[in-house]
Each structure stands twice: as structure tokens, then as C-alpha cells.
Amino acid sequence: MQKLSVIVRFRNEAVHLGAVLRAIRAQRCSVPVEIVAVDNSSTDDSRAIAAPYADKLVDITDYKPGAALNRSIEACTGDHVVVVSAHAIPSDERWLENLIRPLRSPDVLGVYGGQIYPVNAKFLDKRDLDIFSDIQPRSETRDSDFWNANSAFSIASWEKQPFDESVIELEDHHWTKQILPEGSRWIRFEPGARVYHYGHELRNDRQFLAPDGRSTEDRVREAVRALEGDFVAWPEAMSAGMTLGSLWREPQVRATVPLLGRYLLEYWDFDVRWRMAGALGRLDYPESVPYLVRGLADPSFYARDECAWSLARLGGTAVPELIRTLARPGAIPDESLPFAALALGLSGTREGRERALDLLEQCVADGNEAVARDAVYFLGEIGSAEGRPALLRAVTDRLAHEDYRTARAAVWCWGMLAENGDDSERVDAATADIVAVSRQHPQDVVRAEAVAALGAQARKRRAAAALGEVARSLRTDGAGRVRYAAIQSLRLAAVEGGAETCVEAAAQHTDDNDFGVLFERELILATHQEKGKQS
């Protein structure tokens, strides 16, 4: 490795871009680094912010993910490339070195680093988000989660297989599907190369239609033509699913339910099955439901999870069929029962919610800890265990679980119950346990979750003691991700009340080696200063 090119693509990213670029320039890296800033027709100050940091400024006017990456890489002079989102702030000065280190092995085709989302992020469900902020490295030989928000690869790998310019989403996933079958090489997930990924606070329910002037009828006709007959290639299948899901209001799309259902249940790739599940979840017809119920048994977490969310979106349309299916022993595998509970619990119906809590009680008691962990995650998504003391006890009993993954899920779930649930007295009874976890747990990922949970309680209850514990973690914890959870929780609390304590804690925290913490501190103080001007 002789030289590294870091690509930062942006469009109207003035809020985060400066922090991202400053963090890149502050890296302690073993090879020379150039920054290639790629402007997709920004209309704010992004270009002016990028100019002092960039070695090259590239303009793109017709953005497509694969094409934008290929044009960006063509401008690079390094023999290896890093791609980082313009709203993903590197955690510290070792981020870049940690990200590229695995590439020194000839067996590694690409690397993607950890991503920590805002404590209130709803971009994906928490179970999903935690896959990308896990503390264990992974080597993936198929079905990789490779993500160009924080990735690295060699120019040689890209020259052998450029990014597909026809795809409209997940160009990074598609790239790995093309290069991984070549032999015994793999993609590496490197948790030590973390970024703080902003800009995804809302649920990912993406809809997109290419602005090419085609009529609705032509779009539907082309999507149907793609999905009829033999299975088509990944890009065509993904595009057809996105088109039909985006045109869900059009009456003629109802006739495509069997095509979408066939791809959900039979297609070889999990991304396509995930996309078809999302499209079916927008088609609120009874015939959509059986496909999604069967999809709950999908071998991939992502497709299974999207089926659950889609059934929840269908609400009362889906509940009777799902309850009837659950009444048949073995119709839904045990490992899929938490997903069925998620669908029922978020259906908006009383019958669905009660059946969901029954299922979750069953899952946490059946002895399979992986199933129980999913149940705890999805109880947090539902946000209430009112009238179910056994279910709440199953959560609090896992706060200090020996498996950090289970403890992390339980602590987060407690925070969601504290913030959203109705049984405040029972939930608050475990506050001392959460404080103990925030102070003593050996894994920083669990301590960070406990700090965020205390922040949620503080915002909901105006709890000064909980806010004080959050401020204490900012002052004393040695792990950057814990201090980040603390100062972000303080910022959110300042917005909802208690600004004086939060601003004071941020103002006193003048020295930190975590770039995310420094960015959050700037936000708190800038907001406070602006409010002072207005008053």
C-alpha cells in the first residue's frame, strides 16, 4: 500500500461535512492520504467547506450511486480507496489505520467499519443497527453487509469489477456479490474503525422513481415484464421491486402481488427478498399477507425483519391471518416467533398487541437465548410491557447478563420502556441497576447503552439524578463511544428541558480525543448561543 485516497461524497451536507473532513485530516496513518471531495450539485455552503481540506474537488450533476463512485475513483491517485459518508464522522485519529489494516492481507477484498447511529435513530430497528456497531470483527464470504458509508478496498479490486452503474440502491452489496464468488477471499468487518453516522433518524421506507419522464403505466408494465418468467438478475429485480413499492397508490399495482410474493419466497438473494417484502408492505390488500407471513421463516434476518415490519404496516389487514397461522403448531418456526410478535405489537390493534406480548413472554421463557434476545429487542420496539410484570422481569434479569449482546439488548429495551411505556413505577424500580451497568460493565458498548437509557429516562421524567449520571459518564468514562452517548443524550435533553445542566456539562468538557464527542459539544454550545441571541 503506497497511497490512500479518501472519497467524501456530499450534497448539502454543511452541518456535518466540516467535522468529517477535519477528522480525516487529523488521522495518524502509515501511508500518505489524499482527500477527494465529490460535490453532487450542492446549493448550501458544502463546497466552500470542502475546498480547504480537499486535494481534489469533483463535480457530479446526475447522481447514481455506482456511477458517482466510479467517477470519484477515476479521480483518485492512490492504490487503495476509502469511501466515507459526508455525515459519518470518524471516531478518533486511528480510524483510518484501523480500517485499512486488514487490506494488507491478500485474502481480504474489502473492509467496512463500525457505524454508531444517534441514540434516537429509527433508520432501521435497533436489532439491525446493532449489527453495524458490534464489537466483534467478522469475515464474510457471502451475503456481506459491506457498506460504503465507511469502507475500504484496493484500486485493483475495483479495476477488476467497477461498481454497477445501473443499480439504484445498495451498489455496495451488489459489488460484493460480484467479487466474492471468485475464490476463497472475503470481506472484513472491522469494529475498531468506527464512524458516527448521522442523517438517518427516521425509518428507512425508501421510495424512488427515476426522473426519466416515463408514464406510470409504462413503469408498471416494465416492472411486470421483468418479474414474469424466469428470475432476472439482481439489478433488474431490485429496480422492479422499488418501482412497484413506490407506485403502491396505483390500483393496477395490486395485480403484481403474486409476482412480488414469488420473488420474496423463492429468489436466491436476501437483498431482493428484503426489497420485495418492503413493496408488499405497501400494498394493503389481503392477498399480500400470506406471502409476508411465510416470509417470516426466511433464512436471512433482513428479509425476515422486513416481513415483520411490512405486516405491522398492513395493521388490521394482517392480524387475523397472522393469528390463525400462529394457532397451527409449527407453522411459524420458533426462531421467527419474535418477528411475528413485532408485527402484531406494532399493528395498531388491541388484539394484535395482546397476542404479541403473549408471544414475547413465551419467547423469553423457552430457554433459547438467541430467541429471547430478539424478543427483548422487539419488546423495546413495541415500547410497552404494561400489565406484564413477568415480561418486564425478563428484561431486568438480563441487564447484567454474561453475554454482552443480551445485556446490551436488555439495557436498550429498558430505556425504551422508560421513555415510551406506561408502567413507570415498575420500570423505574430498576434504575439503580442501569446506573450500575453504566459505571461497571466491562464492555463499553453496554455502558454506552446504559448511558443512553438513563438519558431517555431523564428526558421522559425530567429526572435530574439520571441526567447527573449521564454527565458523570461524560466526565469519567475512558471509552469514546460511552462519552459520545453521554454528550448526545445531554444535547437531546437540553432540547426538551434541563438546558442549564447540559450546557454546563458540555462547556466544562473542553478536552476530548473523540471527534464525535467534540462535534456534539459544538452543537450544544452553538444551539445555546443562538437561543441566547434570540432571547
Side-chain angles (χ1 to χ4, degrees):
M1 188 179 299
Q2 301 298 316
K3 184 179 180 181
L4 194 62
S5 298
V6 180
I7 295 172
V8 184
R9 295 170 292 167
F10 60 89
R11 176 181 171 84
N12 296 339
E13 292 281 3
V15 173
H16 305 98
L17 183 58
V20 172
L21 293 170
R22 286 194 299 273
I24 295 171
R25 278 295 177 217
Q27 294 299 301
R28 297 174 59 188
C29 192
S30 58
V31 296
V33 175
E34 72 168 352
I35 295 178
V36 178
V38 184
D39 182 11
N40 175 27
S41 305
S42 293
T43 57
D44 65 358
D45 294 333
S46 295
R47 189 178 182 86
I49 292 169
Y53 299 96
D55 297 290
K56 292 185 178 180
L57 263 172
V58 178
D59 289 300
I60 291 178
T61 55
D62 181 20
Y63 182 82
K64 294 179 181 177
L69 274 170
N70 289 338
R71 301 295 87 74
S72 302
I73 296 170
E74 288 165 0
C76 295
T77 60
D79 57 324
H80 284 74
V81 171
V82 165
V83 182
V84 64
S85 169
H87 45 255
I89 300 172
S91 60
D92 56 41
E93 62 185 11
R94 303 301 296 176
W95 158 74
L96 198 51
E97 189 67 29
N98 289 338
L99 187 64
I100 65 173
R101 186 180 297 111
L103 289 174
R104 294 191 170 94
S105 166
D107 295 323
V108 177
L109 284 164
V111 184
Y112 67 107
Q115 299 178 53
I116 298 177
Y117 285 82
V119 298
N120 60 342
K122 300 294 183 184
F123 170 57
L124 302 167
D125 63 42
K126 179 62 171 173
R127 163 76 163 79
D128 197 343
L129 292 177
D130 283 357
I131 294 172
F132 296 96
S133 59
D134 196 17
I135 59 175
Q136 296 295 329
R138 301 187 293 268
S139 295
E140 300 166 346
T141 57
R142 62 187 301 271
D143 289 349
S144 174
D145 290 322
F146 185 76
W147 195 337
N148 275 334
N150 181 22
S151 67
F153 48 89
S154 69
I155 288 287
S157 292
W158 171 77
E159 288 175 338
K160 187 172 183 178
Q161 181 60 67
F163 288 96
D164 190 326
E165 299 192 8
S166 69
V167 301
I168 58 174
E169 62 175 337
L170 299 182
E171 82 293 338
D172 33 23
H173 279 204
H174 184 47
W175 186 69
T176 65
K177 296 174 200 300
Q178 295 174 296
I179 63 173
L180 281 174
E182 69 178 37
S184 58
R185 303 173 73 189
W186 57 83
I187 298 293
R188 176 77 167 180
F189 170 68
E190 180 48 61
R194 296 194 307 271
V195 295
Y196 299 112
H197 197 160
Y198 290 84
H200 293 292
E201 282 76 15
L202 301 178
R203 176 76 187 165
N204 177 28
D205 290 323
R206 186 167 182 248
Q207 301 177 64
F208 175 79
L209 296 170
D212 52 17
R214 286 179 297 161
S215 68
T216 295
E217 290 73 17
D218 286 343
R219 292 180 192 274
V220 173
R221 194 160 33 245
E222 182 177 327
V224 169
R225 189 162 48 244
L227 299 183
E228 286 179 328
D230 295 336
F231 285 137
V232 296
W234 189 96
E236 289 79 12
M238 291 290 285
S239 178
M242 174 69 84
T243 295
L244 295 175
S246 300
L247 293 173
W248 59 274
R249 294 181 180 86
E250 303 298 327
Q252 62 266 42
V253 176
R254 181 173 186 173
T256 69
V257 167
L259 294 174
L260 294 168
R262 172 173 169 254
Y263 268 73
L264 167 62
L265 298 180
E266 299 178 15
Y267 197 78
W268 61 272
D269 179 77
F270 78 98
D271 282 325
V272 170
R273 301 196 303 272
W274 165 83
R275 171 49 61 205
M276 300 305 171
L280 285 168
R282 294 195 172 279
L283 299 178
D284 191 1
Y285 306 114
E287 57 265 38
S288 299
V289 177
Y291 294 109
L292 292 167
V293 171
R294 290 177 62 190
L296 292 175
D298 195 282
S300 165
F301 160 78
Y302 298 106
R304 196 160 65 237
D305 191 54
E306 192 64 22
C307 284
W309 282 94
S310 288
L311 286 165
R313 188 182 294 118
L314 296 181
T317 302
V319 168
E321 172 76 14
L322 187 48
I323 289 179
R324 283 194 297 270
T325 304
L326 287 165
R328 301 198 305 271
I332 295 179
D334 289 349
E335 61 270 22
S336 296
L337 292 178
F339 297 83
L342 176 67
L344 290 167
L346 295 179
S347 66
T349 69
R350 182 173 182 81
E351 181 185 20
R353 179 187 176 279
E354 291 303 312
R355 188 68 181 95
L357 297 181
D358 290 341
L359 273 178
L360 294 177
E361 285 186 339
Q362 175 185 333
C363 291
V364 297
D366 77 350
N368 184 324
E369 195 52 45
V371 171
R373 184 164 55 245
D374 283 344
V376 169
Y377 269 122
F378 294 150
L379 175 62
E381 299 290 350
I382 294 169
S384 174
E386 185 182 13
R388 303 294 181 114
L391 199 49
L392 181 56
R393 188 163 56 250
V395 174
T396 56
D397 286 348
R398 288 172 166 82
L399 295 176
H401 198 278
E402 60 185 8
D403 187 330
Y404 77 89
R405 296 170 301 172
T406 296
R408 181 185 191 185
V411 170
W412 172 79
C413 180
W414 181 92
M416 293 299 289
L417 297 177
E419 185 174 10
N420 301 313
D422 303 314
D423 197 355
S424 59
E425 184 175 346
R426 290 180 184 274
V427 173
D428 289 350
T431 300
D433 297 322
I434 297 292
V435 170
V437 171
S438 75
R439 294 184 176 194
Q440 301 169 10
H441 199 281
Q443 296 290 353
D444 62 0
V445 67
V446 181
R447 297 199 308 277
E449 213 66 74
V451 169
L454 289 168
Q457 184 192 47
R459 294 193 300 276
K460 177 69 174 183
R461 311 271 198 270
R462 300 290 190 267
L467 202 60
E469 283 295 329
V470 172
R472 183 203 62 80
S473 293
L474 176 63
R475 294 192 307 271
T476 63
D477 201 290
R481 74 188 299 160
V482 179
R483 297 194 306 276
Y484 176 77
I487 197 163
Q488 190 171 86
S489 295
L490 290 171
R491 175 171 63 82
L492 295 174
V495 172
E496 298 182 20
E500 184 176 342
T501 299
C502 301
V503 171
E504 181 181 358
Q508 292 176 353
H509 196 76
T510 57
D511 186 28
D512 204 292
N513 61 5
D514 187 285
F515 299 126
V517 173
L518 296 176
F519 176 71
E520 286 285 338
R521 179 180 185 271
E522 290 176 3
L523 290 181
I524 292 175
L525 298 180
T527 301
H528 179 66
Q529 186 177 31
E530 184 62 29
K531 286 184 177 179
K533 290 179 180 179
Q534 294 174 358
S535 61

